[in-house]
Amino acid sequence: YRSLGLERSKALSLIVILTFCLGLFEILAIGVEEDISQSRIVSVVKSAWSDGRNIAIGLTSNSPIFSTRQDSWIASALILALLLIFAVFLNKNVIWFKFGWDQHWWQALLDYGLEWRTPVFSFGGNILYSFGIQLPLKGQLLPIEGVAHWFPAQIRIAASVCLYFIAIGTLFWIFGGLIKLNLINRTIFAGLLALIMSIPTGLDHFIPFLPTNFFTHQFALALWWGEAPFLLLTTVFLYLAIGTRTSRWNNLCLSISFFIGAFAIVLSFPVGAVYFVPLTALYCFGLVLTCDSRNELSWKAGAGIALAILMIVARVPNFLANLYSYSFGAYFFEFSPDRIPWKANFLFASHLNDLRGLLVCGITCAALVLAAVKADRVLRRIAIAVLVCEAGIIVVTTINLWVWQVPLAGTYAELGHAPMWASFLVLAIMILALVVDKRLATWGNISKLRFVRVLRLTIPRRLTYLALFICLLATEAMLPSAEFNHADYPPKQPPSIMLLAKELALTPGSQFRGRLMTIVPSNLEGPSDLYRFLGVVEDQYRLLLGNDHFIDALPFGIPTVNEYAYWTSPPTFALYREFFGKEGEDFGRAWFVLSRFDLRIARLIGVRMVVTDAPNIPGGTLVYRTKAGNSDLGIFRLDGINVG
């Protein structure tokens, strides 16, 4: 494996996957009559395919049997078990939601928007930065993170993940009813999907072909990547129902709810509206193509046209164009000498080092195609809509990457409707599990081994599954969690941050007293870059002091000069690069470093405190000094600054 360049962990993972596949094949081969005219592999695959097809028809094509009291008790027990499983995995995974640099930035700016009650329908000056554009995420309209803000800050991220788990599980429990799963199956379906969509790591121990952090890698970096797709799919399901009711009043109410959902995507998540608005349109187009009646077609077409007119009248296209053009990130590809480094759009492209991502995409695509061709009514329509949406993403982003070359990544668009991908993956897993169960049920009858028959008589098969699952879950609970010394939100408040908060922190109604600037590393004569900057603020300040004095100053109301993410305005970017940067320095779509100090301009833009590893700052008075590993941290105060 080393001669092939594989890491030991990847090699072990490959061995586990191959062993799992071999064991699965041998189970599927139980009871299969081999045909001498074809290979054993073909015989097993044909038999499994036939059984899987019959099981799929039984799952989704028959009207659900009326739930008995026993079914209700079983479903209730399953819900409690799923909540227990989620609690175990969340306890192990919450650190992944607190670790990311992006997560700290989003949470700080979201806290600012909610706690300062910024206007719902406008963007105000962002006093935590330099009066450029405010973070385009409307906390007052967020259904999940808005509610999570009722909880203390220390458990707010965990509360958001819990609320998302419940919300996405409830949405797909309803979806399970639409595709005619019975009560028990739809509970398993919704619960497993909610786990896959909300837990980054650990589930691969139970589903070996599921890559770590596959559907959740953006959700773990920014929680709105969970609730935005939830709102998108809720809106799509409302559109699915339009025109299917006999009452005009019901269809009208569904249309109005659809309008509200579509506008909520724009107003709540303008940061991602450039993806979610086209995704909504593609889903609606796919559902229009499969209308069951002329009445439904009329209602859906009318609702779609009415929404388009409302969007134009409300100047939503103009709003989005202005929003994205007034950002230095919009010019990144024009500035970048490398242009676009990766010519691909697929979700598995972010997991190229793990071929399980390709396998998951293959399984899901196969399930979608089969459902689009063979399934009945609602499931077939939704599968076609997903395929239409995916085709639109691939066509548009491929043309963009090679022709237009504007900064739109196809992977983000695919994550925008990832729950639908995961739902068909879960259906495939359920069908495979039932096929395996059918094979194992006959094992004891056909086996010539005496101990197998004894085992079958003494231990019921379902209890064996339960015991195995409990052992796996207990093992998962006892395994040590990942450890990151600087993975915490809210971040720590060392004496240096307490001093800065005392000197600069803002609250509603307080006076503006100036800003903080972070200049590191200071011992470079030539250009700096992100890695040198992170080598101090991330690897020294944040790791050893618990606060990077950059993004982690924002949660304490400390206004800063150093900006992050792609919503910095072009004038701010130009000003900072000219007076606080060096010729030839690299920058990215979401970052640029401040590597030199200009006292005159610093005073002009209201810099009152400077954090640096330099021994002194021109015109600055040292007020605090400490050491973090190999780096010094000094705080200097400037006098005579412009706070107007």
Side-chain angles (χ1 to χ4, degrees):
Y1 283 113
R2 287 193 173 185
S3 65
L4 295 175
L6 289 177
E7 299 175 2
R8 284 179 295 180
S9 60
K10 296 293 187 300
L12 179 60
S13 175
L14 181 61
I15 293 173
V16 171
I17 292 298
L18 292 176
T19 305
F20 170 79
C21 292
L22 179 60
L24 180 62
F25 176 80
E26 292 300 330
I27 291 174
L28 294 177
I30 295 174
V32 175
E33 296 182 2
E34 297 186 23
D35 188 345
I36 59 174
S37 64
Q38 56 190 16
S39 67
R40 182 169 183 257
I41 294 177
V42 173
S43 299
V44 172
V45 170
K46 281 186 175 181
S47 177
W49 182 272
S50 177
D51 288 342
R53 179 184 58 196
N54 294 332
I55 288 171
I57 293 173
L59 275 178
T60 61
S61 296
N62 300 323
S63 298
I65 302 172
F66 181 76
S67 301
T68 63
R69 178 174 295 182
Q70 183 181 7
D71 291 338
S72 300
W73 280 109
I74 293 174
S76 299
L78 285 171
I79 291 173
L80 292 176
L82 287 165
L83 291 174
L84 174 62
I85 295 166
F86 173 72
V88 170
F89 277 104
L90 179 63
N91 181 59
K92 306 276 291 185
N93 279 270
V94 70
I95 193 169
W96 290 98
F97 293 95
K98 295 182 176 181
F99 168 68
W101 204 16
D102 284 16
Q103 187 75 273
H104 285 217
W105 186 84
W106 284 108
Q107 286 297 315
L109 273 293
L110 182 62
D111 291 346
Y112 160 76
L114 284 167
E115 294 167 10
W116 285 65
R117 297 182 178 88
T118 53
V120 173
F121 298 108
S122 65
F123 290 127
N126 184 356
I127 61 173
L128 289 181
Y129 277 162
S130 56
F131 297 97
I133 197 167
Q134 185 189 344
L135 171 68
L137 194 69
K138 290 282 109 184
Q140 298 90 333
L141 297 177
L142 299 185
I144 293 176
E145 290 206 67
V147 174
H149 263 69
W150 298 347
F151 294 87
Q154 289 74 16
I155 63 171
R156 196 169 290 159
I157 289 178
S160 297
V161 180
C162 290
L163 291 171
Y164 172 71
F165 174 81
I166 295 171
I168 202 72
T170 302
L171 178 64
F172 279 87
W173 191 84
I174 296 171
F175 174 61
L178 292 176
I179 62 176
K180 296 186 177 181
L181 296 177
N182 64 33
L183 180 62
I184 296 174
N185 286 330
R186 69 196 283 200
T187 302
I188 296 172
F189 167 72
L192 183 54
L193 181 134
L195 285 171
I196 289 175
M197 292 305 305
S198 57
I199 300 299
T201 64
L203 291 176
D204 54 317
H205 299 157
F206 296 80
I207 309 173
F209 56 83
L210 180 68
T212 298
N213 208 16
F214 186 67
F215 291 110
T216 57
H217 61 272
Q218 281 300 121
F219 180 47
L221 292 176
L223 294 175
W224 67 268
W225 269 108
E227 57 181 315
F230 164 75
L231 186 58
L232 164 70
L233 294 177
T234 301
T235 304
V236 169
F237 289 160
L238 287 170
Y239 190 75
L240 173 65
I242 293 174
T244 61
R245 301 296 186 268
T246 55
S247 169
R248 292 184 178 180
W249 173 249
N250 289 341
N251 285 323
L252 181 61
C253 289
L254 287 170
S255 299
I256 294 173
S257 300
F258 167 67
F259 296 158
I260 294 173
F263 272 95
I265 293 172
V266 177
L267 296 175
S268 303
F269 309 101
V271 60
V274 69
Y275 293 106
F276 296 115
V277 171
L279 289 179
T280 304
L282 287 169
Y283 265 99
C284 292
F285 177 65
L287 293 173
V288 166
L289 292 177
T290 57
C291 286
D292 290 332
S293 64
R294 182 176 297 177
N295 180 66
E296 183 185 355
L297 177 61
S298 300
W299 272 102
K300 279 185 165 56
I305 293 171
L307 176 63
I309 293 173
L310 287 173
M311 289 278 185
I312 293 172
V313 171
R315 302 179 68 187
V316 169
N318 189 44
F319 163 70
L320 293 178
N322 291 340
L323 176 67
Y324 281 88
S325 64
Y326 195 67
S327 160
F328 95 93
Y331 305 99
F332 173 73
F333 285 95
E334 297 176 15
F335 290 153
S336 174
D338 298 328
R339 307 299 286 176
I340 301 173
W342 178 248
K343 308 286 187 182
N345 306 297
F346 302 103
L347 187 58
F348 72 84
S350 59
H351 287 73
L352 283 178
N353 62 337
D354 191 340
L355 291 180
R356 292 178 297 175
L358 180 58
L359 178 61
V360 165
C361 284
I363 294 172
T364 307
C365 287
L368 280 166
V369 172
L370 288 171
V373 175
K374 298 290 186 180
D376 293 333
R377 299 189 63 198
V378 175
L379 184 59
R380 176 176 174 272
R381 297 186 63 185
I382 291 177
I384 291 174
V386 175
L387 290 174
V388 168
C389 184
E390 188 61 27
I393 292 172
I394 292 173
V395 170
V396 172
T397 53
T398 300
I399 294 174
N400 171 57
L401 286 172
W402 293 96
V403 181
W404 305 326
Q405 296 196 339
V406 297
L408 292 174
T411 300
Y412 289 146
E414 289 193 330
L415 286 171
H417 69 142
M420 289 309 307
W421 279 80
S423 67
F424 283 87
L425 174 66
V426 170
L427 286 174
I429 291 173
M430 291 175 64
I431 293 170
L432 177 62
L434 290 171
V435 173
V436 169
D437 179 66
K438 183 179 178 180
R439 292 291 191 271
L440 293 176
T442 62
W443 186 32
N445 295 328
I446 65 174
S447 177
K448 296 179 180 180
L449 298 176
R450 182 178 300 175
F451 78 89
V452 172
R453 293 185 178 181
V454 173
L455 189 65
R456 183 176 63 85
L457 292 174
T458 56
I459 304 178
R461 189 174 74 262
R462 304 296 167 84
L463 288 181
T464 304
Y465 297 158
L466 179 61
L468 178 61
F469 180 79
I470 290 175
C471 290
L472 287 173
L473 185 62
T475 303
E476 180 67 26
M478 291 186 292
L479 287 174
S481 302
E483 293 186 5
F484 302 106
N485 294 330
H486 50 297
D488 199 12
Y489 193 88
K492 293 181 181 179
Q493 194 174 11
S496 51
I497 290 293
M498 295 177 65
L499 171 64
L500 292 171
K502 180 180 178 182
E503 295 284 342
L504 300 176
L506 292 167
T507 57
S510 67
Q511 259 190 327
F512 178 75
R513 296 176 290 172
R515 290 191 172 86
L516 167 69
M517 174 181 281
T518 302
I519 302 289
V520 295
S522 61
N523 57 351
L524 287 176
E525 295 183 0
S528 182
D529 57 31
L530 183 64
Y531 297 104
R532 292 186 176 97
F533 179 75
L534 293 181
V536 178
V537 300
E538 182 82 1
D539 299 337
Q540 302 291 324
Y541 293 172
R542 188 181 182 191
L543 180 64
L544 300 175
L545 301 178
N547 194 296
D548 64 12
H549 296 72
F550 168 41
I551 289 176
D552 285 347
L554 299 174
F556 302 103
I558 300 171
T560 67
V561 171
N562 304 64
E563 297 199 9
Y564 180 68
Y566 37 84
W567 299 105
T568 298
S569 66
T572 300
F573 172 71
L575 179 72
Y576 287 3
R577 289 281 294 175
E578 179 68 24
F579 292 103
F580 302 109
K582 296 174 183 175
E583 188 70 26
E585 283 182 333
D586 292 332
F587 58 89
R589 185 166 58 95
W591 59 268
F592 56 92
V593 297
L594 307 184
S595 57
R596 68 186 181 94
F597 182 75
D598 187 308
L599 177 62
R600 184 171 59 109
I601 302 300
R603 284 174 170 166
L604 178 67
I605 63 174
V607 174
R608 183 162 181 248
M609 310 295 286
V610 178
V611 168
T612 181
D613 56 351
N616 56 70
I617 284 290
T621 302
L622 180 67
V623 295
Y624 180 84
R625 185 178 292 281
T626 189
K627 196 170 185 66
N630 299 324
S631 299
D632 293 323
L633 186 151
I635 300 179
F636 294 85
R637 181 189 291 118
L638 302 183
D639 296 322
I641 67 167
N642 170 31
V643 295

